[in-house]
């Protein structure tokens, strides 16, 4: 047998062989296609705790039995952020391993919570939209509706619609994303900031409701920043996504990513978002997560970047519960240069002080 392992010969061999490719290109997706993802994952206490500890989500109800039972759970449950990240991680091999970027997600809901450790997750996605990117001819834009199911009962545990930029096999002619003149009412510069920012006094429902009432009728908004930051390292950039079976090369193949728009590996969007939410939750009395909408990833987060968080309180609804009221927030994650990297709205039940 000819020896192929001297460097020169091996380079010539590599040039001539085919590569067994992974993942799908834009052309492989058609609206209506249903994809049942082969990877599955058992949602474990270890996976949950690794994710939650590293993203600074330290709500005691997810760590201590007494705090969990006080919140109405049988035991510390799987956190909705980890459930969301695991549901998405499993899909990457089929949907986005080829490359391209996670642009946004909406309608994130948890129809059958709480979910406990030991639950096996089965995930399926339906292609709901495919579009040409007018600014980037080598990519298309694909949206999927994904459902994470309890493999045993078939109950939908997590559901959302997500959009990625996906590489095309064949670039297309585009208009180059020519700028159109914005309508008058779309001009960002015309939008004035409020004269005053109100900070809630505490983290209970009553504090958010009082702050909104204080701002109401005045040129004021309820908005504040959180002190904590989390610098991205090997654990957050590569280990956490791989623990959700997310095979996106963006997070663990520095060789390939050197030659990409980001110029290197980047943090999994769900890590960025969960870290910012962890900072926000550390300043409130979260009771239950309800859902997330209009999530957008604005720019890359890379190893060495620090993720901070900002919160704007949009609405507070007393609801019909003695324990909690419903609050809608906008959260913005930003980096050490104060650039927004993620934004989205979140609806959560927040504990009432009067329930103590
Ligand atoms: C999971 C997973 C991968 C990841 O987690 S990757 C990490 C998270 N994502 C990111 O870090 C991406 C951050 N975003 C960016 O850096 C920039 O948006 C990007 C991707 C470089 C593109 O920037 P551009 O300035 O070139 O363009 P736009 O931001 O205007 O967007 C390009 C086109 O996409 C359309 N678009 C953007 N957001 C959405 C959305 N939420 N829904 C639908 N369409 C969206 C936008 O309109 C542009 O369209 P054109 O026709 O004008 O091209 C994994 O692998 O799955």
């Amino acid at each position: 047998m000819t020896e192929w392992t001297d460097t020169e010969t091996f380079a010539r061999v590599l040039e001539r062989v085919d590569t067994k490719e992974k993942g799908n290109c834009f052309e492989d997706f058609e609206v209506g296609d249903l994809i049942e993802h082969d990877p599955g994952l058992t949602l474990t206490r270890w996976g949950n705790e690794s994710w939650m500890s590293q993203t600074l989500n330290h709500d005691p109800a997810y760590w201590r039995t007494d705090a969990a039972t006080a919140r109405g759970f049988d035991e510390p449950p799987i956190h909705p952020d980890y459930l969301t990240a695991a549901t998405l991680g499993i899909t990457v091999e089929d949907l986005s391993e080829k490359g391209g970027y996670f642009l946004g997600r909406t309608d994130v809901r948890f129809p059958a919570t709480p979910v406990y450790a030991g639950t096996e997750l089965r995930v399926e996605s339906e292609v709901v939209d495919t579009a040409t990117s007018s600014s980037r001819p080598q990519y298309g834009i694909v949206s999927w509706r994904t459902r994470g199911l309890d493999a045993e009962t078939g109950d939908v545990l997590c559901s959302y619609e997500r959009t990625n930029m996906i590489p095309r096999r064949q670039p297309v002619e585009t208009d180059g994303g020519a700028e159109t003149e914005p309508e008058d009412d779309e001009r960002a510069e015309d939008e004035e900031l409020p004269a005053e920012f109100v900070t809630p006094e505490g983290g209970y429902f009553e504090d958010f409701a009082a702050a909104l009432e204080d701002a109401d009728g005045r040129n004021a908004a309820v908005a504040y920043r959180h002190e904590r930051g989390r610098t991205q390292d090997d654990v957050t950039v590569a280990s956490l996504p791989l623990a959700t079976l997310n095979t996106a090369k963006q997070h663990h193949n520095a060789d390939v990513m050197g030659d990409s728009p980001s110029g290197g590996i980047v943090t999994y969007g769900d890590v960025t978002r969960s870290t910012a939410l962890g900072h926000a939750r550390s300043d409130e009395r979260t009771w239950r997560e309800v859902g997330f909408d209009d999530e957008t990833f604005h720019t890359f987060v890379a190893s060495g970047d620090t993720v901070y968080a900002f919160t704007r309180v949009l609405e507070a609804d007393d609801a019909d519960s003695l324990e909690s009221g419903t609050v809608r927030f906008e959260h913005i994650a930003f980096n050490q240069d104060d650039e927004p990297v993620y934004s989205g709205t979140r609806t959560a039940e927040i504990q009432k002080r009067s329930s103590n």
Side-chain angles (χ1 to χ4, degrees):
M1 202 172 65
T2 327
E3 189 57 69
W4 288 354
T5 51
D6 71 277
T7 312
E8 230 172 78
T9 311
F10 189 59
R12 281 193 287 127
V13 171
L14 280 184
E15 259 171 40
R16 289 178 50 198
V17 296
D18 287 338
T19 299
K20 301 270 279 180
E21 290 194 33
K22 292 300 220 192
N24 290 303
C25 290
F26 174 78
E27 290 85 345
D28 299 319
F29 296 106
E30 251 183 63
V31 172
D33 287 352
L34 185 68
I35 301 143
E36 293 196 10
H37 304 291
D38 203 24
L41 186 93
T42 301
L43 296 162
T44 60
R45 189 65 86 81
W46 173 83
N48 194 50
E49 291 183 352
S50 307
W51 186 276
M52 301 313 288
S53 59
Q54 294 299 328
T55 55
L56 283 95
N57 278 282
H58 302 170
D59 178 343
Y62 294 88
W63 296 86
R64 282 189 0 234
T65 306
D66 62 325
T69 47
R71 192 79 69 78
F73 301 131
D74 298 342
E75 59 183 86
I78 296 297
H79 194 281
D81 282 13
Y82 175 58
L83 174 63
T84 306
T87 299
L88 197 152
I90 286 170
T91 70
V92 168
E93 179 173 345
D94 291 323
L95 305 188
S96 52
E97 178 165 345
K98 204 58 162 178
Y101 292 94
F102 180 17
L103 294 172
R105 184 173 49 195
T106 198
D107 199 22
V108 185
R109 295 293 181 272
F110 311 99
T113 51
V115 177
Y116 293 111
T119 304
E120 274 194 39
L121 196 56
R122 181 168 68 73
V123 181
E124 60 184 32
S125 300
E126 183 181 348
V127 182
V128 292
D129 195 30
T130 61
T132 294
S133 166
S134 53
S135 56
R136 292 180 176 250
Q138 56 293 43
Y139 292 95
I141 296 169
V142 185
S143 301
W144 307 270
R145 161 64 61 178
T146 291
R147 289 178 206 89
L149 308 148
D150 180 325
E152 199 183 323
T153 64
D155 290 345
V156 179
L157 308 178
C158 174
S159 164
Y160 58 77
E161 191 176 314
R162 143 177 171 234
T163 300
N164 274 54
M165 244 168 46
I166 299 294
R168 285 177 176 274
R169 230 172 250 116
Q170 296 296 334
V172 286
E173 297 267 329
T174 72
D175 62 7
E179 297 265 316
T180 51
E181 193 59 27
E183 298 290 324
D184 277 354
D185 60 356
E186 285 175 4
R187 285 176 197 278
E189 59 267 33
D190 287 351
E191 219 183 90
E192 289 200 1
L193 288 176
E196 200 191 329
F197 293 101
V198 176
T199 309
E201 282 198 1
Y204 286 99
F205 172 77
E206 290 88 338
D207 298 308
F208 295 112
L212 284 170
E213 208 171 300
D214 181 13
D216 191 32
R218 297 194 294 129
N219 187 7
V222 182
Y224 46 98
R225 58 193 288 178
H226 305 276
E227 184 173 351
R228 287 182 178 164
R230 171 68 161 106
T231 303
Q232 299 302 291
D233 56 22
D234 288 351
V235 172
T236 54
V237 175
S239 301
L240 290 185
L242 283 170
T244 67
L245 311 188
N246 175 342
T247 52
K249 53 173 85 73
Q250 286 106 313
H251 316 308
H252 61 258
N253 188 336
D255 176 34
V256 169
M257 293 309 292
D259 198 20
S260 73
S262 58
I265 57 175
V266 299
T267 303
Y268 175 20
D270 266 328
V271 169
T272 303
R273 162 237 203 226
S274 198
T275 302
L277 296 176
H279 299 334
R281 292 176 183 126
S282 75
D283 289 324
E284 67 179 44
R285 308 287 299 203
T286 323
W287 186 257
R288 292 272 196 287
E289 295 296 333
V290 177
F292 301 84
D293 289 285
D294 303 319
E295 298 193 302
T296 302
F297 294 95
H298 300 275
T299 194
F300 304 119
V301 175
S303 195
D305 285 345
T306 303
V307 175
Y308 293 100
F310 168 95
T311 293
R312 172 147 61 144
V313 183
L314 303 174
E315 277 176 83
D317 176 3
D318 198 352
D320 202 10
S321 155
L322 290 176
E323 286 140 347
S324 62
T326 307
V327 180
R328 203 160 70 83
F329 301 95
E330 180 187 27
H331 298 293
I332 299 176
F334 62 98
N335 64 20
Q336 64 284 355
D337 299 319
D338 295 347
E339 287 171 310
V341 295
Y342 158 89
S343 63
T345 61
R346 162 174 168 250
T347 305
E349 286 178 36
I350 304 294
Q351 191 182 358
K352 288 184 177 164
R353 183 178 280 107
S354 54
S355 73
N356 268 335

